PDB file of all heavy atoms in Angstrom:
ATOM      1  N   ALA A 561     123.588  73.615 104.908  1.00  0.00           N
ATOM      2  CA  ALA A 561     123.561  74.482 106.092  1.00  0.00           C
ATOM      3  C   ALA A 561     124.587  75.596 105.974  1.00  0.00           C
ATOM      4  O   ALA A 561     124.308  76.757 106.293  1.00  0.00           O
ATOM      5  CB  ALA A 561     123.827  73.645 107.347  1.00  0.00           C
ATOM      6  N   SER A 864     104.773  91.898  81.809  1.00  0.00           N
ATOM      7  CA  SER A 864     103.382  92.243  81.500  1.00  0.00           C
ATOM      8  C   SER A 864     102.815  93.341  82.382  1.00  0.00           C
ATOM      9  O   SER A 864     101.632  93.653  82.292  1.00  0.00           O
ATOM     10  CB  SER A 864     102.500  90.992  81.616  1.00  0.00           C
ATOM     11  OG  SER A 864     102.558  90.466  82.924  1.00  0.00           O
ATOM     12  N   PRO A 906     110.264  80.479  63.848  1.00  0.00           N
ATOM     13  CA  PRO A 906     111.013  79.628  62.913  1.00  0.00           C
ATOM     14  C   PRO A 906     112.514  79.736  63.214  1.00  0.00           C
ATOM     15  O   PRO A 906     112.970  80.694  63.856  1.00  0.00           O
ATOM     16  CB  PRO A 906     110.683  80.224  61.543  1.00  0.00           C
ATOM     17  CG  PRO A 906     109.484  81.087  61.748  1.00  0.00           C
ATOM     18  CD  PRO A 906     109.546  81.560  63.167  1.00  0.00           C
TER      19      PRO A 906
END
Side-chain angles (χ1 to χ4, degrees):
S864 60

